[in-house]
Amino acid sequence: MTEVEETRRESEASRGDFQEVIDLLRKHQLVEQVVHRQDMPRHDLVEQLVHKQHLAELQKKLDAMHPADVARLLEALPLNQRLLVWDLVKAERDGEILLEVSDAVRESLIQSMDEAELRAAAQTLDTDELADLAPDLPPQVIEEVMLSLPAEERARLQSALSYAEDSVGALMDFDIITVREDVKLEVVMRYLRRLDEFPDQTDKLFVVDRTGTLKGVLPIKRLLLHDPATVVKDVMEQDIVTLRPEDKARDAASAFERYDLVTAPVVSADNKIVGRLTVDAVVDYIRERSEAEVLGLGGLEEEEDLFAPVIKSVKNRWAWLAINLVTAFIASRVIGIFEGTIAQLTALAALMPIVAGIGGNSGNQTITMIVRALALGQITRENAKKLFLKEIAVALVNGVIWGAVVGLFAFAIYHSVSLGVVMMAAMILNLLLAAVMGVLIPLIRYRLGADPAAGSSVMITAITDSGGFFIFLGLATLFLT
C-alpha cells in the first residue's frame, strides 16, 4: 500500500469515526427523550440505565479517536453536546486535546473545568506544549504548575513565555539530543539505544562542545551509513541553518520552505543551543496565520466559535460592519450628488453596479496577492516600485479589455455610443484606482505594524464602490448631459 493510499484510508476512517459519534449523540438524545416521556414502573432507574449505556458506548468510541479528531469533533458541536463529550474524555488526554482545538473552543472548555482539572491537564504536557497553553489558563493554575516543575523545566517555561507570540522562541521545543564532536559514531549509537524514545521529527542530532556551543549537526542517515569507528567531527555538517529565539516566525517558516528543513537548531547570541524548531510547529503556525488572514480579510477581529453566544459573535463582527456602514453612507452621498444626472439618464442606475463590482473584485485580487507576498517576505524597498507599476499595467490592460466588453454591452442595450465610451472609461479608471489602493492598503498597514489582511477587503470594496460611482457618474455628467 502506498503512503498516499494509507493517508486516504486514515482520513476516511477519521471521517467515519466523526460521523459515528455524531450519530451516537443523536441516538442518545432521541432515546432519552422517548424514555423520559414514558410512564412506567421504576422510571428513574430505567432512564439512568439507558443514559449510562449510551454514554459508555460513546466514551469507548472517543477513547479510540486521535486527539486531533476529538478536537475537530468538539469544534463542530453545539455547546451542550460539546460539554457532554468533553466530560467523557479521559482526564489524561485533556491537555493534548486542549492544544489541538481552536482558541475560541478552548476557552469554552477551560471555563467548564475547575482548577484541579486544569492543573492535572497542564501537568501531562511537555514544557513547550505547556507554553502554548499557558496564556489561556488562569494565572493561579500556571503558578501552581510552575512550582511543581523541576528547576530546569521551570526556567525553560519562563523563557518560552517571555518571547513574543509570533517569534521562533514561542514555537521552539526543548526536547533535543546533543552529542560531542570528539566521540565515535558507535558511541553515539550506544547512547541512542539507551533512550526510551526519540523526540518527534528527529532527523538530526546536534553536535556541541563542553559549554553547549553548537558546532554542527549529525544527520541520522550519516550516522547509519558511515563506519561506526568514524569520529562525529569527520561526518557532521557544519554549514547549517540556525535560528535565534527572537527571529520572526514567518521568516523561520520561509527558511523551512526554502531549505526543505525538518528541524533547525535555535541558538542564543553566543551560539549556545537553546532548543529546536520542528516542521510540525511551522506547519501549525502557517495554518493559524492563514486562518487569521482569511478572517481578517472578512473583517473579523478574531477566530470565532461556531456556536459562541450571540452577543460574543456580534462583538467580534461589529467593528468592520460599522466602518462598512459609514462607507456605505459615503457611497450613497456620492450617488446623491448626481441625482440630477441619474434622473435624466435612468440607464446610469442600472450600469453603476457593474463598474463598482468589477473594481471591487479586481482590488481584492490585488490585495490577496500583496498580503501573500508580505507573508512570504517577497516585497522589499527595492522591488516595491516595480510591483506597483506592474499592478498598474495589469489594471490598465484589464480595464481596456473589460471596459470594451461592458462598453459594447451598454451600446447594445441602450444604443448610445457616448454611453458605451463613458462606461469603458469609467471601467479603466476604477480598475486603476483598485490597483493603486490594492497595493497601498496592505503595505501601509504593514508599515504601521498592523495585520495587512485585517479589514483590507472591506476597505477596498468601500473605495472602489464610492470611487466607481463618482468616476462613472462624473463622466456621465460631463459628457452625456
Side-chain angles (χ1 to χ4, degrees):
M1 182 184 298
T2 66
E3 186 175 345
V4 173
E5 291 173 338
E6 185 174 351
T7 302
R8 187 184 297 115
R9 282 190 59 182
E10 291 176 354
S11 177
E12 290 173 353
S14 172
R15 285 196 296 270
D17 290 339
F18 181 90
Q19 189 57 49
E20 193 170 339
V21 172
I22 296 294
D23 292 340
L24 283 172
L25 284 169
R26 189 184 299 113
K27 179 181 176 183
H28 168 69
Q29 186 176 12
L30 180 62
V31 172
E32 276 207 332
Q33 289 174 351
V34 172
V35 173
H36 185 70
R37 292 170 185 166
Q38 297 294 321
D39 185 12
M40 65 180 75
R42 309 184 72 179
H43 177 276
D44 291 342
L45 178 60
V46 172
E47 187 173 7
Q48 187 177 7
L49 289 174
V50 171
H51 182 78
K52 286 185 176 181
Q53 178 184 353
H54 282 102
L55 291 188
E57 187 177 359
L58 185 57
Q59 185 172 40
K60 183 178 179 182
K61 175 56 66 175
L62 290 170
D63 290 344
M65 293 174 67
H66 189 278
D69 293 328
V70 177
R72 174 171 166 262
L73 172 67
L74 292 168
E75 291 171 354
L77 292 175
L79 185 59
N80 59 334
Q81 291 186 333
R82 178 186 300 162
L83 296 181
L84 172 64
V85 170
W86 183 237
D87 286 339
L88 296 176
V89 172
K90 288 184 177 178
E92 61 266 23
R93 303 182 74 198
D94 284 355
E96 55 186 349
I97 293 173
L98 284 173
L99 287 173
E100 295 287 349
V101 296
S102 65
D103 292 344
V105 172
R106 183 185 303 150
E107 181 180 345
S108 70
L109 298 178
I110 288 176
Q111 287 177 350
S112 71
M113 303 170 71
D114 59 34
E115 289 189 11
E117 290 174 321
L118 289 172
R119 189 165 54 250
Q123 288 172 342
T124 63
L125 301 176
D126 295 333
T127 305
D128 54 299
E129 295 173 330
L130 186 54
D132 292 336
L133 188 60
D136 298 314
L137 296 176
Q140 62 272 22
V141 172
I142 288 297
E143 185 177 349
E144 292 174 8
V145 170
M146 290 188 73
L147 290 175
S148 69
L149 295 174
E152 184 179 2
E153 289 189 27
R154 189 185 312 135
R156 286 178 174 177
L157 178 57
Q158 290 172 332
S159 173
L161 292 174
S162 68
Y163 295 113
E165 186 177 356
D166 61 345
S167 68
V168 169
L171 300 180
M172 70 179 180
D173 71 58
F174 305 98
D175 200 4
I176 58 177
I177 300 178
T178 60
V179 295
R180 296 277 296 280
E181 62 180 337
D182 54 353
V183 301
K184 294 181 179 180
L185 297 184
E186 61 182 347
V187 175
V188 176
M189 293 288 286
R190 286 201 301 270
Y191 166 66
L192 295 179
R193 291 192 186 100
R194 291 202 298 269
L195 299 177
D196 293 331
E197 60 180 356
F198 268 22
D200 292 338
Q201 312 296 329
T202 296
D203 68 322
K204 59 176 71 78
L205 311 179
F206 302 107
V207 183
V208 299
D209 63 15
R210 293 179 182 274
T211 66
T213 300
L214 183 68
K215 294 298 183 180
V217 298
L218 176 62
I220 295 295
K221 62 181 179 181
R222 292 195 180 188
L223 173 64
L224 297 175
L225 296 177
H226 282 78
D227 188 339
T230 308
V231 176
V232 168
K233 185 177 181 180
D234 295 335
V235 296
M236 72 179 186
E237 293 181 0
Q238 294 177 289
D239 184 17
I240 56 176
V241 177
T242 60
L243 303 170
R244 298 278 292 277
E246 59 272 17
D247 288 344
K248 293 290 186 183
R250 65 170 179 268
D251 296 334
S254 297
F256 267 69
E257 180 184 17
R258 188 162 54 250
Y259 302 115
D260 295 326
L261 299 176
V262 175
T263 60
V266 182
V267 297
S268 61
D270 54 358
N271 206 41
K272 286 184 169 51
I273 189 163
V274 295
R276 65 172 187 153
L277 188 62
T278 62
V279 67
D280 57 339
V282 171
V283 169
D284 287 343
Y285 167 77
I286 293 173
R287 175 181 55 79
E288 291 170 3
R289 185 173 178 82
S290 298
E291 290 174 354
E293 287 177 356
V294 170
L295 292 170
L297 285 170
L300 292 174
E301 295 293 322
E302 60 184 19
E303 185 180 23
E304 186 177 305
D305 181 357
L306 284 175
F307 301 99
V310 172
I311 295 299
K312 187 170 184 179
S313 294
V314 169
K315 288 180 179 178
N316 186 32
R317 305 182 194 188
W318 80 269
W320 285 105
L321 288 178
I323 294 173
N324 203 11
L325 180 61
V326 172
T327 59
F329 278 130
I330 294 173
S332 71
R333 293 317 308 146
V334 170
I335 296 172
I337 294 172
F338 299 98
E339 284 180 352
T341 303
I342 297 174
Q344 294 179 48
L345 296 169
T346 54
L348 299 179
L351 296 173
M352 281 192 307
I354 298 176
V355 176
I358 295 295
N361 187 48
S362 177
N364 276 310
Q365 289 176 340
T366 302
I367 279 180
T368 301
M369 192 199 71
I370 297 299
V371 168
R372 178 181 179 276
L374 286 171
L376 296 175
Q378 296 174 340
I379 298 179
T380 63
R381 290 181 180 273
E382 292 73 22
N383 66 16
K385 183 178 179 181
K386 289 184 178 179
L387 176 62
F388 183 77
L389 294 175
K390 177 250 183 180
E391 287 303 309
I392 294 294
V394 170
L396 185 60
V397 173
N398 276 331
V400 171
I401 293 172
W402 297 109
V405 171
V406 296
L408 290 172
F409 172 80
F411 172 74
I413 298 296
Y414 299 104
H415 309 292
S416 171
V417 174
S418 55
L419 179 60
V421 172
V422 165
M423 192 74 177
M424 178 177 178
M427 182 69 75
I428 293 173
L429 292 175
N430 200 31
L431 286 183
L432 289 172
L433 174 65
V436 171
M437 301 311 298
V439 173
L440 290 183
I441 289 172
L443 284 181
I444 290 173
R445 289 186 62 82
Y446 182 77
R447 291 293 182 192
L448 294 175
D451 183 354
S456 294
S457 178
V458 176
M459 287 187 280
I460 193 66
T461 301
I463 291 171
T464 53
D465 280 356
S466 299
F469 294 152
F470 183 82
I471 291 168
F472 180 50
L473 295 176
L475 291 174
T477 301
L478 290 174
F479 300 106
L480 300 180
T481 59

